[in-house]
Amino acid sequence: MIKIRVISDGSSGKEHESGLTRYVLPAVPQAVLQRHGARVLRPAEAAVAKGWPKPNPTIYRYGVLLVPRRLLDSATIVTLNRVLTDVGMRLVRPDATDDQPATSDDDLDAKLPVAVELGVAGTFKPQAVDAWTALQRLRAEVTALREACDSGASTDTAALESLAGVVDAISLDHLLVGSATDGSSSTIVTGTNTASNGNPDLNNLFDRPAAGTSGRIPVTVALADPGQIYMGQNASRRPVVAVLDTGIACDPEHPWLTPRVERGANGHEDAVVIVDTELQKQLEAEHVGERLLSIASYADEPSIEEPLLGDLSTHAGHGTFIAGLIRQLAPGAQIYAVRVMQPDGFAPGSDVVNALKKIAYRVRRAQSGQADGQAVDVVSLSLGYFDESADERNVTIALEPVLRELTELGVTVVAAAGNFATSRKFLPAALTEKLTDKAAAPMISVGSLNPNGSTSRFSNEAPWVTCYASGAAIVSTFPAFAGAQNAPARTGRRESFDPDDFASMFGVWSGTSFAAPVIAGLVAARLHDEAGRHDRDQNSAARVAAAHAAWENVLKDAR
């Protein structure tokens, strides 16, 4: 039985507030950092501009900064590059940007930052290209101008206000990590606690469900295919849950996740999974910086991270597992599978924001009756990051506005609370503190419960966690992947249990990654009978009311 626990008085995590000491991030393998062009920001080593807060650890892409599109005019870039010259860096203005500030008929697009590449300035200087260093140099310039104006050495307050406004809007491109535990068979054996492994607990062999040395294990199920149930009697379509993750099993397709169709194709009405090749190609084409593995395909692959070792990647199968949970809990819903995460469990924040922005655009098009739109009722996010400081002025500059846009359109957003056993804010889940407008659909952050109803030891727990749901030792769909571990004993066709052969296409896994889609599926199920009824309403009030009613109905039966 699925379990839910809701903290109605906001007390969850209060006992931990005075001890937010879990600031040390688990180790991130160098191969992962290199793959994503990323670094760990280490407070003891980080340069900090005068007047700005000392950072806490975070993971960021060193070759890019996030700059609002409206600021990408040539004059602004020239000003910023003049400041950056003395640290040997420059912002490489995107080729597609005209001399005038970029505009769009999409209002959201104008609000959001885009990734802008950093390069070496002029004559090469022995200075590594680094986004944090560049950001601190820009902030230092603002501080110097402010001090000059305050002392009377300068009267150019207009220049100060202009530069301060620009620099305040620039931020790091954080690397988001998925929230499944013990994804790698080698993680527990070596004792290395990687970011994709969750809570760094040396006793994890005993604290988590395990077969041999893997927390993600194959199982056989005797359950029938959930089937595609009837469309709701007052519905014009099926409820749709967008899953931004590692993609969907394709070769072979999972029998519980078929039929699969392209967005807008014939037969769309009764599909279980909707994929969007056009969107995937756009996300790949618009990615800034190097990437070793493309996301132009929606397929949940490859399964093996290092062919010479053969271990399954930590988050291979992650998106398929999430899709299966939604399928079980909302068998009449459709899953809109959007690939943003690599099988190693990481995704650039700029890619995630770009995907959310494009989904919001498709939702608006659908609500205005356009054939190229795509209705979405719930967004499920099982990934996140720690910001470098609670005092940062703009750390949520990208995620907050796009999630606000979605909720204002009537889309419920459900986010995993994270697996680091901390009350430190994990974004986007911690945005529940800000996205509380009753005139918008709910944003829900979800921690994990064990099968007995207790809070999972790995789960984050804090006042910003909305609720807790079953997330440990939970069963769902999995691609037919097979890793390098063999059955310990084999004779002919007889063998002992093979802990990483998923030929059964089902598995057991744990993490707040899976508690979040439990809630997303339950909400979608409550929308089933009247899905799409208010799609064409000119204002979103009815859609927002339906979203709140669905969530309230889940809470009435919190079992």
Side-chain angles (χ1 to χ4, degrees):
M1 179 184 293
I2 291 297
K3 295 179 172 64
I4 304 173
R5 186 173 76 242
V6 180
I7 308 301
S8 59
D9 61 0
S11 62
S12 175
K14 290 287 186 184
E15 64 272 27
H16 306 301
E17 281 188 315
S18 62
L20 296 179
T21 57
R22 295 291 301 272
Y23 286 131
V24 178
L25 284 179
V28 184
Q30 285 299 315
V32 172
L33 293 174
Q34 184 174 1
R35 186 179 301 127
H36 294 277
R39 290 194 179 110
V40 176
L41 180 64
R42 307 180 192 281
E45 303 170 358
V48 182
K50 182 179 179 180
W52 286 79
K54 182 179 178 179
N56 295 312
T58 191
I59 310 170
Y60 68 100
R61 297 175 66 213
Y62 57 76
V64 298
L65 281 171
L66 297 184
V67 182
R69 190 180 296 275
R70 60 184 171 79
L71 299 177
L72 293 180
D73 61 282
S74 57
T76 300
I77 295 295
V78 167
T79 299
L80 296 175
N81 283 345
R82 185 167 59 247
V83 176
L84 291 174
T85 298
D86 63 355
V87 288
M89 287 180 270
R90 66 186 180 93
L91 289 165
V92 181
R93 188 162 169 262
D95 292 337
T97 304
D98 298 324
D99 288 338
Q100 299 300 318
T103 58
S104 172
D105 57 1
D106 181 351
D107 291 338
L108 180 62
D109 190 56
K111 298 176 187 176
L112 293 176
V114 295
V116 179
E117 194 166 8
L118 282 166
V120 175
T123 304
F124 178 77
K125 297 182 180 181
Q127 169 74 51
V129 170
D130 179 67
W132 174 256
T133 302
L135 184 58
Q136 296 312 302
R137 178 63 190 93
L138 294 173
R139 290 174 175 178
E141 184 70 12
V142 172
T143 299
L145 284 175
R146 183 172 288 117
E147 289 178 343
C149 288
D150 289 345
S151 67
S154 172
T155 58
D156 196 353
T157 56
L160 168 62
E161 291 173 1
S162 176
L163 183 62
V166 171
V167 174
D168 277 353
I170 297 175
S171 64
L172 299 176
D173 188 9
H174 296 88
L175 204 60
L176 277 64
V177 61
S179 296
T181 65
D182 295 341
S184 171
S185 59
S186 61
T187 299
I188 301 176
V189 175
T190 62
T192 301
N193 298 298
T194 65
S196 56
N197 185 40
N199 175 21
D201 189 336
L202 295 179
N203 296 316
N204 49 14
L205 271 174
F206 306 101
D207 290 336
R208 300 177 188 159
T213 57
S214 177
R216 170 185 54 188
I217 61 174
V219 296
T220 301
V221 300
L223 300 171
D225 186 323
Q228 187 68 315
I229 65 173
Y230 63 89
M231 190 179 294
Q233 60 181 13
N234 297 318
S236 61
R237 58 171 175 80
R238 298 180 179 279
V240 179
V241 182
V243 175
L244 279 69
D245 214 88
T246 61
I248 202 78
C250 288
D251 188 20
E253 295 181 55
H254 198 287
W256 280 22
L257 301 174
T258 57
R260 183 186 74 207
V261 299
E262 282 281 350
R263 180 177 63 87
N266 292 333
H268 179 281
E269 295 77 9
D270 290 325
V272 172
V273 174
I274 301 168
V275 294
D276 197 335
T277 299
E278 177 188 17
L279 173 59
Q280 296 299 154
K281 290 180 177 178
Q282 288 175 347
L283 294 177
E284 180 60 25
E286 294 169 16
H287 174 81
V288 174
E290 294 184 6
R291 172 151 53 202
L292 298 183
L293 185 61
S294 169
I295 60 168
S297 167
Y298 49 75
D300 190 347
E301 60 184 15
S303 59
I304 304 300
E305 182 168 320
E306 172 50 68
L308 294 179
L309 295 177
D311 285 347
L312 291 179
S313 296
T314 63
H315 283 61
H318 194 255
T320 300
F321 199 91
I322 288 169
L325 290 170
I326 294 166
R327 181 81 171 113
Q328 294 176 68
L329 293 163
Q334 295 181 313
I335 297 148
Y336 184 27
V338 178
R339 186 182 181 195
V340 295
M341 189 195 298
Q342 302 286 8
D344 60 16
F346 290 90
S350 53
D351 284 359
V352 175
V353 169
N354 198 17
L356 289 167
K357 179 190 73 173
K358 293 181 185 303
I359 289 172
Y361 173 78
R362 284 159 169 74
V363 170
R364 283 199 306 276
R365 296 286 289 176
Q367 292 177 358
S368 62
Q370 302 300 314
D372 62 346
Q374 172 60 56
V376 173
D377 300 287
V378 185
V379 168
S380 182
L381 298 170
S382 291
L383 70 173
Y385 70 98
F386 294 114
D387 59 16
E388 55 270 27
S389 171
D391 298 325
E392 283 287 335
R393 296 167 172 79
N394 54 8
V395 73
T396 60
I397 190 171
L399 277 169
E400 185 180 338
V402 71
L403 293 179
R404 187 180 300 279
E405 173 83 3
L406 283 164
T407 57
E408 288 175 350
L409 290 169
V411 179
T412 300
V413 176
V414 184
N419 299 339
F420 294 88
T422 182
S423 50
R424 185 182 173 193
K425 291 181 180 179
F426 188 71
L427 299 166
L431 289 175
T432 51
E433 292 184 319
K434 294 188 176 184
L435 300 179
T436 58
D437 189 349
K438 293 297 183 182
M443 175 160 181
I444 305 164
S445 58
V446 191
S448 174
L449 297 178
N450 294 316
N452 64 3
S454 61
T455 304
S456 302
R457 189 174 183 186
F458 56 76
S459 179
N460 289 352
E461 186 174 358
W464 45 264
V465 180
T466 309
C467 66
Y468 298 80
S470 297
I474 196 164
V475 177
S476 189
T477 54
F478 202 85
F481 292 157
Q485 290 189 65
N486 293 317
R490 177 181 298 169
T491 304
R493 64 183 182 183
R494 294 168 59 84
E495 63 180 41
S496 56
F497 181 75
D498 189 335
D500 64 355
D501 184 341
F502 288 87
S504 70
M505 301 189 79
F506 291 93
V508 172
W509 213 344
S510 300
T512 60
S513 270
F514 313 123
V518 163
I519 294 297
L522 291 173
V523 170
R526 269 61 177 186
L527 293 167
H528 178 266
D529 286 346
E530 297 190 351
R533 182 178 178 185
H534 303 293
D535 280 357
R536 301 294 185 270
D537 292 3
Q538 289 193 350
N539 66 63
S540 61
R543 293 187 290 273
V544 167
H548 280 285
W551 174 227
E552 290 165 6
N553 286 334
V554 171
L555 298 181
K556 289 177 182 177
D557 187 24
R559 294 180 297 167

